[in-house]
Amino acid sequence: MIYNKMRLRYDRPKPSFQTLLSFKFMSYQPLCNTLSFPYKNGLFHSPRPHSESCSSGPTIHSFQPSMRIIRSAMDLLPRSHTEFSSADYWDTFFSKRGDKAFEWYGEYPELCGILHKYIKPQEQALVVGCGNSRLSEDLYDVGYRGLTNVDISDVVVRQMTERNAGKRADMKFLQMDVMKMDFPDSSFSAVLDKGTLDALMPDNQSETQERVTRMFDEVGRVLKVGGRYVIITLSQEHILKKLMQYFPQEGWITRVHKVSDSDRETSQKEMPLPVFIFVFTKFKKMPQMNKILEVCLCGTDTTQRLSCEEDVMRAVKERQHYAMLRQQLQNRGLEGETVCLELFSSSSSSSVPKYILHIVETDTVRAADRQFAVFIVPQGREVEWLFATDKGRGHLAGTAGFRRLVVVSLQREHPYETMAEIQKELSGKIMELSPPGFNRKIQVPFLSVGADIGTRTVCYEGTSQFSGPYVVEDVEGEDGIIFRNLIFLSNRNAVQSQARMVQENKIPKKKGRRRTGKKIVVDYTRLDVVLVGLGGGGLPLFLHKHFSKIQMDVVELDQSILQVAEGWFGFQQDERMRVHVTNGLVYLEEQAKQASRSCHVVILDVDSKDVTVGMSFPPQPFVEKECLKNIQDTLYEDGLFILNLSCRDMTLRASVVETVRSVFPRILSKKIEDEVNEILFCFPREKDVHESGDDGHMTEFSLEEFENLKGSVGVVEKVAKGCSQRWDPTLELTEQLDGLKLA
């Protein structure tokens, strides 16, 4: 599975849970239009005995019969997997087993729906490695009279001949090695292989590879042009790779089916991995012939054309990993893991999933009716802390009071009609994710914010030369408030910029005499500010509006982002606020080269596009000594450098802070609640630096220092309110000082 941890901004207060949820109950419906499931590397392994995979959990007793069957079967398995290709081993195997059929990977009712599409009753068909399976007998009984069965074991050939001598006299059983068959060329219209390839290829050794190649060559020789080679297999990685290396290169058409889980409900207990049916249609090899690669993995007749062998392998592996995950979820629980599923729609060509599911578990023991629930996140609100972060979803699950909660996010690329339609579409898949021992007679509650699925309006879509595709969209938050978001699709769950939309109303001037009296002012004539990183323009607009003496230079690398800010977020330049479209590093270097210091404040609020580094704000070059020295040389002696730092790698963070401290000796840090981000306030002068003890730890301000700073900020806040007719009453600047520490 894919699990991406992304930095998110939370720009409004978290809702209280009492007003958050509305409960709905559902009847179980099958999921429609499910296509594929991304996977997590390293999850899939070879099948193991149920005694290991079901060693704990409340459902173990219901699996005991299957466990006993597996254990008895294991007594017949070889000491070395190389014995799978030995005739002596299979003679011994079938002698011990007797007449009891050994059904690899399912029985006729589970397979017939696919087999009948590719093997016709009137055709001559060859079954390789038939063993004592009843599959050939079942096919014969429904009209397939041209069946020839071969097996390397003389014992099983005699058993099957005797068993079918009376009722199925026309069906042939021959002792033969599939790597060297006696049939003339082009003898059959179809070749059926149920588990034989898996038995002959237990590993990826060169000897095994050569053996399997000889078998494929023989199948190709005895098969007519236009004939089908039908392989029923678990398709483990080395087998899948061999199939994709051989047949597409030979010009054969490739189609892959997955045997329906509902059809395999009983045999899944013995074989939890999905069973695939590969159909290779023989064509004459022609130079520069386009490869035809198709998959049909969603339980319907809908096929999907893929472009390369790697895509086929990826699609198969996704199904395998989902099957393993499903077994884990139903038998053992998550055991502290974070699980994310992406569900795609077969009716859409979009490469973006229709639903993203996060599965969250709590440790608290719950009542029987509080075991399992689903939470539908309204459109556009998937970027909020409560729904977009592991910590937020954990808080959501714990407060909701369910043992396991599936948090479902809706994606902007897909249309959604109603909550009822979403429930209907998801219900079948949701039940596959239920916790161990869940009573399926209990209705599963669907939770959400309010009664509908929310609204999302895409205002504008574009592509940045530096940041890739982006979207500007309006989403409805709590109490009907509309927020406008700028989102880069390379980091689709992170809001780059956000603005609250309000109706513009002109406030009439009140008539009458102006009151006179004392007016609080800040003792400065002009404050020169450099801001690197425009985004949607919210920060520079705020400073420009509420502090009339600020002269601001905004540096933005991307011209398209400036156009978005001006076109969709109300950003405007004037004589007090100018934008320079240039590289921030170059701009700071040029400012530092000027003869005199020219700036009171430098603010660095720029994100990094390098996902290989554990720091998303700022890019690494901005916190290297050369750039920091340029910022220092730009500032007045009593100036201030403000840095938005977001770093998940604590070792890297410590290194960054130490580098900054080497240039700016006094650093104050303000951690953003529920975010990775912290704001560093960096001062270039050494005087008044307090000893903080261990340099590697934060130290609280002294009470006197804090009160002095709080008083100064209070004055600034009064001045800002006096410059604005519309001040957000929820914004208290003095509260922002809480948690401020020395770094």
Side-chain angles (χ1 to χ4, degrees), residues 6 8-21 358 360 375-378 380-400 405-409 447-449 478 493 673-675:
M6 298 183 179
L8 301 160
R9 288 182 182 166
Y10 193 86
D11 291 331
R12 47 190 178 271
K14 304 183 192 71
S16 63
F17 203 87
Q18 287 72 21
T19 61
L20 187 66
L21 305 180
H358 287 88
V360 187
F375 190 99
I376 305 295
V377 180
R381 301 191 64 176
E382 69 277 358
V383 298
E384 296 181 14
W385 174 86
L386 193 63
F387 311 126
T389 65
D390 290 341
K391 189 175 180 180
R393 288 187 292 265
H395 175 77
L396 179 66
T399 312
L405 184 69
V406 179
V407 182
V408 181
S409 298
L447 320 177
S448 189
V449 181
E478 290 183 82
N493 279 347
E673 184 182 2
D674 298 321
E675 299 287 351

Side-chain angles (χ1 to χ4, degrees), residues 232-246:
I232 305 172
T233 173
L234 289 181
S235 188
Q236 290 177 272
E237 186 170 6
H238 61 286
I239 294 174
L240 177 60
K241 186 176 180 181
K242 180 67 175 179
L243 291 171
M244 291 299 100
Q245 286 176 341
Y246 186 92

Side-chain angles (χ1 to χ4, degrees), residues 69-81 83-105 129-133 151-160 163 194-195 199 270-271:
I69 292 173
I70 291 295
R71 286 169 182 159
S72 64
M74 290 298 289
D75 293 335
L76 303 178
L77 294 181
R79 291 187 289 280
S80 168
H81 57 61
E83 292 184 65
F84 272 128
S85 60
S86 165
D88 291 338
Y89 163 73
W90 289 111
D91 284 344
T92 303
F93 179 94
F94 288 113
S95 294
K96 286 184 178 181
R97 190 169 182 87
D99 292 335
K100 185 178 180 181
F102 191 71
E103 296 299 343
W104 296 91
Y105 313 155
C130 63
N132 65 358
S133 168
D151 198 283
I152 197 172
S153 170
D154 184 60
V155 172
V156 78
V157 168
R158 289 200 305 271
Q159 289 177 355
M160 296 300 287
R163 196 166 84 188
K194 184 187 178 190
E270 297 185 25
M271 188 63 66

